[in-house]
Amino acid sequence: MKKRLIVIAACIAALFCGCEKAEQLNADVIEGKPIVVGFSQVGSESEWRVANTESMKEALSEENGYELIFDDARNKQENQIRAIRTFIQQDVDYIVFSPRVETGWNSILQEAKEAGIPVIVIDRDIKTVDEDLYTAYIGSNFREEGEKAVRWLEDLLESQGRTEEIIRIVDIQGTIESSAQVGRTAALEQALLRNPNWEMIAQECGDFTRAKAYEVMGEILNRTKDIDVVYCENDGEALGAIDAMEEAGLKCNPNDGVIVISFDATRLGLMYCLGGKIALNVECNPLQGPYVDDLIKRIERGETIERKKYIDETQFDCFTITQDMIDQRDY
Ligand code: AHR
């Protein structure tokens, strides 16, 4: 086993045993050697994902002391499992991955554990039989993002005096069984239970892409154009759904048209918000690279780490957003 792995294994053992900081294990002993990270990215399905990949590549750069082995899984879990197995064979120092879906990771994570390689899960969360199968998670609280969206919608409809009116809602879901989809959908479904005047008239998967959302929204519009709200589980889907609705002659605007809700708050999504076509855009922050860099450096120094870290996120609505806010965005 490489010297770094002995150091890290001892650090992690010290952390999980609740022992004092294992400062003597400071990774300075291997000063000069890059930290080798294998990163399995789920794909490149959205603007958000592109920004996430760039953030990771920038933070885990040669100048920052890393050698990054990047793999694009093209939105397939089996490709991610294959990539992680290859990283294990390459005996990397850390494995980082952004999981397509929540489940199905136990065996491969067990292999990584047996090889003594720490695993950091980013972006989407996972469910495993044993929490110790991975070292830490850094990403978004998707359920909370969904809660922000539905609470805002409840307030908007109340301010419009529409609490008794039937509100016909379409949900364009993200990749089914990804934690981003699970959390955002769950918040909407919970809100439907407490708002008896809300009616889910269609719920289809847009797979987090503009093209798929355009396609499924077109099919829904062939069945009905009587729609009050379209809840899109990311910006790409919102853009695709808006294209389809406008082609069908519908207006997207919270004052006198369809209320479109979106997640991510990418620059393009926010431009649509400024134009009123997206009524609310809940931020999902893709700039996770610096958090991963910080976490790895903490582990290297033998410091205590946070096992689960949710990144701070905000929200933008079409009534209060300004061009200035968009200009300040990094993605
Ligand atoms: O997991 C984060 C989600 O995945 C983002 O909302 C979406 O744009 C991406 O593809």
Side-chain angles (χ1 to χ4, degrees):
M1 189 187 260
K2 287 187 290 189
K3 199 180 199 175
R4 177 184 297 284
L5 292 179
I6 296 167
V7 170
I8 304 310
C11 283
I12 290 168
L15 290 171
F16 286 122
C17 290
C19 303
E20 286 180 11
K21 281 184 190 175
E23 280 168 10
Q24 74 280 11
L25 299 172
N26 194 310
D28 287 347
V29 290
I30 44 161
E31 198 181 348
K33 268 193 177 179
I35 301 169
V36 182
V37 178
F39 172 41
S40 165
Q41 177 58 286
V42 66
S44 53
E45 73 284 359
S46 60
E47 296 279 321
W48 186 101
R49 186 66 54 199
V50 173
N52 180 251
T53 297
E54 278 170 16
S55 170
M56 291 292 288
K57 286 185 174 172
E58 205 178 302
L60 306 184
S61 64
E62 216 177 296
E63 303 78 68
N64 273 348
Y66 294 95
E67 181 189 329
L68 180 65
I69 307 172
F70 177 81
D71 186 87
D72 179 340
R74 299 175 192 280
N75 218 12
K76 287 199 163 61
Q77 183 175 30
E78 60 264 33
N79 289 348
Q80 292 205 280
I81 292 173
R82 199 174 306 124
I84 293 171
R85 188 161 290 124
T86 305
F87 297 150
I88 296 169
Q89 284 157 1
Q90 290 169 319
D91 200 14
V92 298
D93 297 319
Y94 291 84
I95 292 171
V96 181
F97 79 114
S98 168
R100 180 174 190 274
V101 289
E102 285 186 322
T103 56
W105 305 104
N106 291 323
S107 306
I108 192 66
L109 293 184
Q110 184 61 39
E111 288 176 38
K113 189 178 177 182
E114 280 161 17
I117 302 174
V119 175
I120 299 167
V121 181
I122 67 157
D123 165 27
R124 301 176 186 168
D125 209 348
I126 56 172
K127 284 183 180 150
T128 50
V129 278
D130 178 0
E131 280 232 312
D132 286 353
L133 284 179
Y134 60 98
T135 306
Y137 164 77
I138 296 170
S140 300
N141 187 335
F142 298 109
R143 179 64 193 256
E144 182 50 32
E145 289 177 358
E147 294 297 338
K148 286 179 188 168
V150 295
R151 282 195 298 263
W152 185 88
L153 181 60
E154 284 170 338
D155 289 348
L156 175 74
L157 294 171
E158 196 182 334
S159 72
Q160 293 178 336
R162 301 171 73 185
T163 49
E164 302 299 319
E165 184 188 320
I166 296 296
I167 303 296
R168 293 166 58 82
I169 302 175
V170 169
D171 178 16
I172 309 284
Q173 296 175 289
T175 300
I176 302 300
E177 292 181 14
S178 66
S179 69
Q181 175 272 314
V182 171
R184 292 169 185 167
T185 299
L188 177 61
E189 288 176 345
Q190 191 66 37
L192 276 147
L193 295 177
R194 64 175 182 263
N195 290 281
N197 63 320
W198 291 18
E199 197 183 308
M200 182 89 90
I201 59 160
Q203 190 172 43
E204 305 275 348
C205 175
D207 216 8
F208 287 132
T209 70
R210 185 172 182 161
K212 181 79 179 155
Y214 173 78
E215 186 189 314
V216 297
M217 192 69 220
E219 287 163 10
I220 294 165
L221 288 162
N222 284 336
R223 301 199 292 269
T224 180
K225 293 191 178 55
D226 186 5
I227 299 167
D228 297 298
V229 177
V230 180
Y231 182 93
C232 300
E233 296 188 7
N234 83 342
D235 275 349
E237 292 182 349
L239 270 47
I242 291 169
D243 288 344
M245 284 189 277
E246 290 184 337
E247 277 176 28
L250 294 187
K251 192 172 173 186
C252 298
N253 188 297
N255 298 318
D256 56 357
V258 178
I259 301 166
V260 177
I261 289 182
S262 183
F263 296 86
D264 283 357
T266 57
R267 262 171 194 276
L268 188 54
L270 291 182
M271 290 306 295
Y272 272 64
C273 197
L274 187 66
K277 291 185 181 188
I278 291 179
L280 175 75
N281 206 328
V282 179
E283 184 185 36
C284 179
N285 190 343
L287 306 181
Q288 298 169 356
Y291 292 90
V292 175
D293 170 38
D294 180 64
L295 180 71
I296 291 177
K297 300 271 169 70
R298 277 175 189 279
I299 296 174
E300 291 283 307
R301 289 194 296 267
E303 292 175 7
T304 308
I305 56 159
E306 235 177 309
R307 230 192 95 74
K308 197 165 209 152
K309 163 100 186 140
Y310 288 130
I311 296 173
D312 289 340
E313 294 171 336
T314 182
Q315 66 190 61
F316 302 86
D317 69 57
C318 65
F319 304 114
T320 54
I321 192 168
T322 63
Q323 183 65 50
D324 204 38
M325 288 179 189
I326 301 173
D327 292 344
Q328 285 169 25
R329 306 284 292 168
D330 286 327
Y331 59 94

